Amino acid sequence: MLKLLPEWLKIGAGAALGAALVVYPAILIGRSEGRQQAATVALEAAVKRFAEKGKINGQVSSLDAAALCNDFGLPDRDKADCMRRVREASAKP
């Protein structure tokens, strides 16, 4: 049956088949590497956020109730209640 096909058609079909065999695995490898790179970037961003949260938590933990309530920017009439609530929250285990 292949003897009936012209030579150029056989060569073209072989080239198309060879290209498909090379391109498809390359696409899969590219997608895999893209996913891995995206996961790495997301992990780095999460680590940076956790580090920033740790710094902020350390700064907040070192403040006393009055300084913390002043940083909230509350009006003077609300600061006493704020300090009471912060002290209550700090006393809980």
Side-chain angles (χ1 to χ4, degrees):
M1 173 145 170
L2 288 175
K3 290 183 180 184
L4 298 176
L5 295 175
E7 193 67 28
W8 63 269
L9 189 59
K10 292 178 192 176
I11 293 172
L17 181 62
L21 290 174
V22 171
V23 170
Y24 188 70
I27 290 172
L28 291 178
I29 290 170
R31 285 183 183 168
S32 174
E33 288 177 1
R35 286 187 192 120
Q36 185 177 8
Q37 186 178 17
T40 301
V41 169
L43 180 61
E44 288 173 354
V47 168
K48 287 179 184 176
R49 282 194 308 271
F50 286 133
E52 288 176 12
K53 285 182 181 181
K55 289 177 187 174
I56 292 170
N57 286 344
Q59 292 170 350
V60 169
S61 297
S62 67
L63 294 175
D64 64 340
L68 188 59
C69 290
N70 283 334
D71 284 346
F72 286 148
L74 297 172
D76 289 336
R77 65 180 182 274
D78 294 336
K79 286 183 182 176
D81 187 44
C82 174
M83 287 190 291
R84 179 184 57 79
R85 289 179 185 218
V86 169
R87 287 185 186 123
E88 286 176 2
S90 297
K92 292 180 183 177

